[in-house]
Amino acid sequence: MSVLPFPSFLDDVKEKGLKRAALEGINEVVERATAGMNLQDIREALRGEAASRKPNPRLQPHADGFWLHMRPSYFHKSVTGVYPEFRLGWLSTYFVFFETLTGIFLMIWYTPSPDVAYANMINIMSNVPFGQFVRDLHRLGAEAMVLIVFLHMLRTFFTGSYKKPRQFTWFSGVILLICTMFLSFSGYLLPWDQLALWAVTIGASMIEAAPPEVVGTNLNLLIRGGPDIGANGLLRFYLLHVLAVPAVLFIFTGVHYYKVIVHGHSLPPGEENIGEDTAKRVPLDKRVYFIPDILTSEIMWIAVTTLVLVVLSTWFFHAPLEAHADNQVTPLGTTAPWYFLWIQGALKLGDKVLWGIIFPTIVVVFLLVMPYLDVTKSRRYAHRRFAFTVAFLMLSVMVVFSYMGLPEFGVKTSADSEILYHMLMEPAHNHMGVLRPIPYDELVPGVYTTEQLHTEDYDGDIGTALASFNTELEESGLHSRLDQFLAVTQHLELNNLTFTAVPADAPELLEGLEKLEHELELYPTELPGAWAAIIVTEPQAGLKRVDVVISWLDVQIENGRPVMDANGELLFNLDENGEIARRVTGQYMYIHEDSQYFAAPGV
Amino acid sequence: MKLNRLLIERIDHRILVGTLAFLAIMVLLGWIWINENGRMAAFDRQYLARSIERGAALYAANCSSCHGVDGLGAVGRAPALNSPYLFGHDFLAEIDTELTVLNAERPTAELNGLTERVTEIDARIAELTTERDALIAQMGPAVNIGYDPDSPSRTQRMGWTATLRSLVLTTLVAGRPTSGNYWPQPMASWSQSTGASLRTDQLEDLTNFILNWDKGSNWTLDDLNSVRQFPIYPIDPSTVTIVEGDPRIGATTEIAAVMEGLAMVTGDPQNGQTLYNSAVLGCTGCHANAAVAPLVEGTWTRVTNERLTLPEFAGYTGEQYLAESIIHPNDYTVPTYASGVMPANFGDRLSYQELADMIEYLKTQDQ
């Protein structure tokens, strides 16, 4: 007999036998854990059968359990389909938890200091099992979360769900959208690579434009922690990322969902009028119970979403990590994250204060107060043509501005810099230099030129064409100038600067040369009479150096454009002998045989 | 519309899809787990490779002007890094090991009266010694410029007991402040922690690049003999014997006085060439690399055709221009070159005869 005031498990075993006692014990534990549903209840629910006992045990977890007390016990049948909600709200919530969990994993391996942050990233990728995988998931999840929260907002707009009585729900949702964007943005800086530093530098420099000057300067100092982003700035962004913004996000997630429940999920526009509150007025025949229908649906949605993320992270997506952050080196083509591209595009229209501060502020304030301004009487699509027109116009402007935010738009770099960048750039923004993925074995040491592609005057004979080109260079003195340029400026000592044909067993190198020629042809006025060279050397075993040199007639350039005379002829700079001068420029990269550059997806 | 009901109408289908998705996630996690060690190793290899690439670019921009584009050093300026000596490759190791074993065995064999074995050992020792001498003879070019075959390891010679990596890295971080005593310029410190320009990761990139010159056991005598400059070591001042010679010109002597002194002697271009190429003066350390200083070839042509046409050298002779360039190098620096690089102490190191020899040699450079 037990000394306890109730029968012990041992007493049960003696009385009922081991099997039955164990089953009853498990049953009891399950019922306690689910706050009301035993194994039989769960079995019935999952089979889609009606509950066999009363009161309905499926309502019990909503009444007694912590997790389900915040969920309604039944939904209106009209909101349980894909339309009108597309499960975007649920997925947004899921991403909050997903990002938190993956973020905690990464926090274990990360120290927010410029001295070690980048090394931490390398460690996560090279020495922490599942490190790269979780980092990919975290990054992919962040991008997906911004997208899903934005789509959730669009859906709410188009179904008119923000209208009375749900104005504040919308308001809190916009706060969540802003939090999501800033969470993603503040996470950008943490790897402390070039992408991080310069994307955030662009963002922070907009803050500097805030008027009046004293405010902008101090806000900028406050967020960067100094004139440049350094140790202080990184720590601040880290704290914003892991503490401040998540705190606001969690609070507003609670507020937002509370308001959703208080007013009930909004029904499709045709079924619910403005001012109606369906939370507690769902007819019996329209009820779909949370257990089991909504619950199984929600779990299925997150399982499938997680699977998609896992598949993408396993094979198709890797979070970028560029070269170590360097305040001294501004990479070409620096962009803000895609969801802030619209601001970067707007900035190209002119005034930094107007387009960088006032315009985004107006957009955000407009979004926040929009439900209070739009007091039209109907939620039906047909009655909201004006609102839809305004929305589509705004969306179009966003798309156009985002396009304008791309580095391809309106950023004038000299033609030679553009070409060298396209040919040699380090992997960044999902792109890399054209010559980088050439197989190591095909980088045959030698001196090659695009002139080998111009054999029209030599009956297609490359050898003769190159011999003629070599002689021409020698006679014009350009040969020794090139030699000097390589030695003095490029630190390259060559024994023999005689151009030869690309070997037949290096087709990809030849293709690279052809692409280089194609790039030259894109700039007939900026680079008249241009030719280029690819020089491959092998400074160490297993390491090759690839130089790209461009030479062109020195056309006069003003405001980034070639100058022409009244007849439309190009004007050139002349050398001391009164001849048209020739410019020579170049850049180089090193390729190690184990570097494994390969074409980025989509390139 | 079927889709309008929880995406999938039937609960058992939803459970099936969710379960399959979960199982697929587990399978993928297992797949990642299986491949994870290989992936991490591949990442390490790739990261090291890219680090070497970055190091190569840093080397070309910052180090090549002193240590040579090919890392073989610059005479009188900086030692080779692409050198079997830095990596401690001992070309005599195999022979020396066998000699040590034989020399250890010989007394015992002699004591035990194994005369046949002793003869055998002696023969082998003689053979090995001949081989050794032949090998050292093949190292002639390296030995002539300071390589000691019996002390083939840089780290051992300087008593460095840690790794070569740490030697390279700490040298980059802190430089060699006192090396200015025996090189024209000291090895600078490069680390941001010492107020210089490179970050720790960049110094590691540079170290990875330099260590990538290691050929392990594949170093050849050609590699050794192609080294242009080996490290030099400070000399104990007490061992230096002062030899009385011609008086020095003096680094602060006015150019007019220098020209008067030069008028008293006749230059010998042959001796001038020897001096010019000597490691003591180290001229070729810089003037063999157009990136650092004007090349010796064509010096006289440039002086007469270009420099003397400049207004600031009105009234100068070519000899005067050269004398001033050597004794007071900072009075004028050829455009595109950095000023203050050439040591201004040649006046204290050269006699009038030696300066005249050098000028005569440079006058032969009229290509």
Side-chain angles (χ1 to χ4, degrees):
Chain A
M1 191 61 195
S2 169
V3 293
L4 299 169
F6 50 83
S8 71
F9 178 67
L10 205 57
D11 294 331
D12 281 356
V13 172
K14 282 179 189 163
E15 190 184 326
K16 302 168 188 170
L18 178 62
K19 190 178 173 187
R20 195 169 153 212
L23 279 175
E24 282 185 6
I26 292 169
N27 206 36
E28 195 182 323
V29 170
V30 170
E31 192 166 339
R32 281 168 188 274
T34 57
M37 292 179 71
N38 62 30
L39 284 172
Q40 178 61 21
D41 299 331
I42 293 171
R43 193 179 295 130
E44 287 166 0
L46 293 182
R47 282 177 179 165
E49 296 167 358
S52 62
R53 65 186 174 110
K54 288 191 175 175
N56 188 346
R58 297 174 195 177
L59 300 180
Q60 209 61 29
H62 294 277
D64 297 343
F66 170 73
W67 290 108
L68 292 194
H69 92 276
M70 51 185 115
R71 309 300 310 274
S73 51
Y74 53 82
F75 286 53
H76 193 293
K77 192 173 181 180
S78 296
V79 296
T80 57
V82 175
Y83 174 82
E85 297 187 341
F86 304 97
R87 300 272 82 80
L88 293 166
W90 165 241
L91 288 181
S92 303
T93 317
Y94 172 61
F95 274 112
V96 173
F97 288 97
F98 183 83
E99 289 300 288
T100 307
L101 286 177
T102 49
I104 288 171
F105 177 93
L106 294 172
M107 278 172 82
I108 298 169
W109 307 99
Y110 181 79
T111 307
S113 153
D115 293 336
V116 292
Y118 190 77
N120 284 169
M121 305 315 293
I122 300 300
N123 185 50
I124 285 173
M125 310 237 277
S126 67
N127 201 31
V128 178
F130 289 97
Q132 186 188 44
F133 176 66
V134 177
R135 181 169 177 261
D136 294 345
L137 284 180
H138 191 69
R139 178 61 185 264
L140 187 62
E143 308 275 346
M145 187 171 160
V146 174
L147 184 68
I148 291 205
V149 172
F150 181 70
L151 290 175
H152 181 46
M153 189 189 75
L154 275 187
R155 191 283 300 171
T156 311
F157 173 82
F158 283 115
T159 58
S161 304
Y162 59 89
K163 296 196 172 197
K164 193 178 174 184
R166 299 187 180 87
Q167 298 100 318
F168 188 73
T169 319
W170 168 277
F171 182 94
S172 59
V174 175
I175 302 280
L176 289 175
L177 173 69
I178 295 168
C179 283
T180 305
M181 288 165 82
F182 274 94
L183 265 179
S184 190
F185 180 62
S186 54
Y188 243 71
L189 185 63
L190 306 188
W192 202 243
D193 61 351
Q194 281 288 71
L195 174 68
L197 183 73
W198 291 98
V200 171
T201 300
I202 291 175
S205 68
M206 287 187 328
I207 294 168
E208 197 175 9
E213 197 183 332
V214 65
V215 174
T217 310
N218 284 297
L219 268 181
N220 181 45
L221 277 178
L222 199 65
I223 193 155
R224 292 201 207 194
D228 287 320
I229 294 174
N232 288 336
L234 179 57
L235 183 60
R236 282 168 204 206
F237 268 80
Y238 177 71
L239 293 175
L240 277 175
H241 188 70
V242 304
L243 274 181
V245 185
V248 177
L249 183 93
F250 284 128
I251 290 168
F252 272 86
T253 303
V255 171
H256 187 72
Y257 195 64
Y258 172 77
K259 298 302 284 185
V260 169
I261 301 306
V262 162
H263 300 304
H265 291 76
S266 88
L267 303 184
E271 296 181 36
E272 185 189 64
N273 291 320
I274 289 177
E276 285 183 5
D277 178 342
T278 52
K280 298 178 183 69
R281 299 193 199 99
V282 181
L284 271 174
D285 63 330
K286 298 280 188 192
R287 289 182 186 181
V288 174
Y289 283 86
F290 185 85
I291 299 174
D293 279 338
I294 306 295
L295 182 64
T296 50
S297 168
E298 287 185 345
I299 292 175
M300 181 199 73
W301 275 87
I302 60 172
V304 171
T305 305
T306 310
L307 176 63
V308 170
L309 292 175
V310 168
V311 167
L312 288 176
S313 297
T314 305
W315 287 301
F316 302 104
F317 173 85
H318 293 302
L321 184 69
E322 296 184 4
H324 193 290
D326 191 339
N327 278 325
Q328 311 298 320
V329 180
T330 315
L332 276 182
T334 302
T335 52
W338 60 269
Y339 41 85
F340 283 136
L341 270 182
W342 57 283
I343 304 182
Q344 200 171 344
L347 276 168
K348 289 180 187 169
L349 290 175
D351 189 57
K352 209 171 168 184
V353 178
L354 175 64
W355 293 105
I357 299 288
I358 298 175
F359 169 65
T361 308
I362 290 175
V363 171
V364 171
V365 171
F366 174 74
L367 281 179
L368 284 168
V369 301
M370 196 260 294
Y372 302 100
L373 299 177
D374 177 12
V375 289
T376 48
K377 299 293 182 196
S378 173
R379 286 182 55 205
R380 288 170 181 268
Y381 300 132
H383 300 158
R384 299 177 58 222
R385 285 177 183 144
F386 177 72
F388 279 22
T389 309
V390 171
F392 279 118
L393 271 176
M394 279 184 71
L395 279 174
S396 308
V397 168
M398 290 282 275
V399 171
V400 171
F401 277 15
S402 295
Y403 168 70
M404 285 165 57
L406 294 173
E408 289 82 356
F409 184 89
V411 180
K412 194 69 190 165
T413 316
S414 66
D416 52 308
S417 303
E418 281 284 347
I419 294 174
L420 293 171
Y421 177 71
H422 282 153
M423 300 311 289
L424 301 172
M425 72 176 278
E426 283 187 24
H429 303 97
N430 230 13
H431 288 76
M432 72 174 82
V434 169
L435 300 179
R436 266 183 204 269
I438 293 178
Y440 189 78
D441 292 342
E442 290 199 25
L443 290 173
V444 185
V447 186
Y448 313 109
T449 170
T450 50
E451 289 299 299
Q452 89 161 69
L453 306 170
H454 296 287
T455 54
E456 310 84 31
D457 298 341
Y458 305 94
D459 296 332
D461 182 18
I462 294 174
T464 320
L466 287 177
S468 160
F469 182 64
N470 282 321
T471 313
E472 189 187 316
L473 278 192
E474 193 72 56
E475 286 171 356
S476 65
L478 195 56
H479 186 277
S480 59
R481 221 180 111 197
L482 196 58
D483 213 9
Q484 172 90 352
F485 167 75
L486 291 171
V488 176
T489 313
Q490 307 297 86
H491 309 284
L492 178 70
E493 284 175 4
L494 276 180
N495 295 328
N496 186 2
L497 185 55
T498 307
F499 290 99
T500 53
V502 174
D505 56 355
E508 293 202 32
L509 179 59
L510 182 62
E511 201 181 314
L513 198 68
E514 285 165 355
K515 284 181 181 164
L516 180 55
E517 167 68 12
H518 175 68
E519 292 265 349
L520 293 178
E521 286 168 359
L522 293 178
Y523 302 97
T525 51
E526 287 92 339
L527 302 175
W531 55 263
I534 295 178
I535 301 169
V536 184
T537 47
E538 191 168 12
Q540 279 183 343
L543 183 74
K544 286 176 184 164
R545 171 178 159 143
V546 180
D547 282 71
V548 174
V549 177
I550 304 174
S551 174
W552 70 100
L553 297 173
D554 191 7
V555 67
Q556 292 180 20
I557 299 279
E558 254 178 41
N559 300 324
R561 298 192 177 282
V563 183
M564 297 190 189
D565 63 13
N567 303 324
E569 300 286 329
L570 290 169
L571 291 178
F572 293 96
N573 293 315
L574 304 179
D575 62 15
E576 60 269 22
N577 303 324
E579 306 274 327
I580 294 176
R582 224 172 212 290
R583 297 276 302 272
V584 175
T585 189
Q587 219 172 48
Y588 55 91
M589 66 173 177
Y590 288 89
I591 297 285
H592 192 280
E593 60 184 337
D594 290 335
S595 283
Q596 299 175 47
Y597 291 107
F598 46 85
V603 175
Chain B
M1 198 159 75
K2 288 280 181 196
L3 273 180
N4 201 19
R5 182 85 170 81
L6 299 170
L7 181 60
I8 294 171
E9 180 80 29
R10 287 179 51 176
I11 187 171
D12 47 344
H13 289 179
R14 289 200 294 274
I15 293 172
L16 185 66
V17 170
T19 309
L20 286 177
F22 178 77
L23 287 175
I25 292 168
M26 291 299 117
V27 169
L28 280 178
L29 288 182
W31 164 260
I32 293 168
W33 193 357
I34 289 168
N35 291 307
E36 196 62 349
N37 281 339
R39 185 199 64 76
M40 289 195 291
F43 182 91
D44 270 343
R45 273 199 306 280
Q46 187 197 43
Y47 184 75
L48 176 63
R50 294 189 185 187
S51 169
I52 290 169
E53 290 173 3
R54 290 190 296 273
L58 288 168
Y59 180 88
N62 299 297
C63 318
S64 63
S65 54
C66 288
H67 290 281
V69 170
D70 47 14
L72 293 172
V75 180
R77 188 169 177 86
L81 303 170
N82 176 14
S83 155
Y85 180 58
L86 179 68
F87 292 94
H89 181 76
D90 185 359
F91 292 96
L92 303 173
E94 214 174 304
I95 295 175
D96 285 348
T97 309
E98 198 177 340
L99 277 174
T100 310
V101 171
L102 291 172
N103 281 323
E105 188 188 346
R106 193 181 185 286
T108 320
E110 202 168 20
L111 206 63
N112 294 333
L114 302 172
T115 45
E116 201 173 318
R117 177 61 187 152
V118 171
T119 317
E120 206 176 281
I121 288 173
D122 284 343
R124 182 62 185 148
I125 286 177
E127 197 180 329
L128 286 172
T129 309
T130 313
E131 263 180 52
R132 194 176 192 279
D133 292 342
L135 211 53
I136 291 174
Q138 288 177 52
M139 298 177 197
V143 172
N144 287 343
I145 56 170
Y147 177 71
D148 179 359
D150 290 321
S151 176
S153 163
R154 168 83 163 132
T155 49
Q156 279 180 20
R157 172 87 184 267
M158 66 191 295
W160 185 268
T161 51
T163 59
L164 180 60
R165 168 176 288 275
S166 66
L167 173 67
V168 175
L169 191 59
T170 52
T171 304
L172 285 167
V173 169
R176 295 269 170 76
T178 58
S179 60
N181 294 331
Y182 43 98
W183 292 106
Q185 281 185 313
M187 165 72 186
S189 62
W190 288 93
S191 166
Q192 285 185 354
S193 63
T194 60
S197 58
L198 300 184
R199 299 184 308 268
T200 306
D201 62 292
Q202 290 176 308
L203 298 176
E204 279 165 5
D205 292 341
L206 257 176
T207 306
N208 286 332
F209 170 72
I210 290 167
L211 295 186
N212 196 44
W213 262 312
D214 190 10
K215 293 185 180 173
S217 55
N218 296 325
W219 286 103
T220 63
L221 286 173
D222 281 344
D223 293 329
L224 181 73
N225 289 332
S226 61
V227 168
R228 284 191 290 268
Q229 174 70 58
F230 287 96
I232 52 178
Y233 293 88
I235 300 164
D236 179 355
S238 62
T239 64
V240 177
T241 313
I242 307 284
V243 180
E244 287 294 326
D246 293 337
R248 309 288 99 175
I249 298 168
T252 54
T253 309
E254 294 284 333
I255 189 62
V258 173
M259 294 314 292
E260 280 173 25
L262 279 178
M264 315 296 285
V265 292
T266 308
D268 170 16
Q270 207 65 36
N271 190 44
Q273 183 175 12
T274 310
L275 281 169
Y276 191 91
N277 292 325
S278 70
V280 178
L281 294 181
C283 309
T284 51
C286 295
H287 290 280
N289 182 351
V292 183
L295 292 173
V296 65
E297 290 87 5
T299 297
W300 188 245
T301 314
R302 288 194 301 274
V303 169
T304 51
N305 294 354
E306 295 173 25
R307 310 283 184 259
L308 295 186
T309 59
L310 298 173
E312 57 261 54
F313 295 116
Y316 269 57
T317 61
E319 289 85 350
Q320 187 178 349
Y321 175 86
L322 287 174
E324 188 178 75
S325 299
I326 295 170
I327 306 298
H328 304 301
N330 296 326
D331 284 5
Y332 171 78
T333 307
V334 176
T336 75
Y337 290 104
S339 59
V341 174
M342 179 155 160
N345 60 2
F346 286 106
D348 291 336
R349 297 165 71 188
L350 295 172
S351 66
Y352 280 105
Q353 181 60 55
E354 287 166 336
L355 180 61
D357 294 347
M358 294 264 281
I359 291 173
E360 280 308 309
Y361 166 62
L362 290 174
K363 283 168 75 176
T364 65
Q365 299 301 308
D366 55 356
Q367 301 88 340

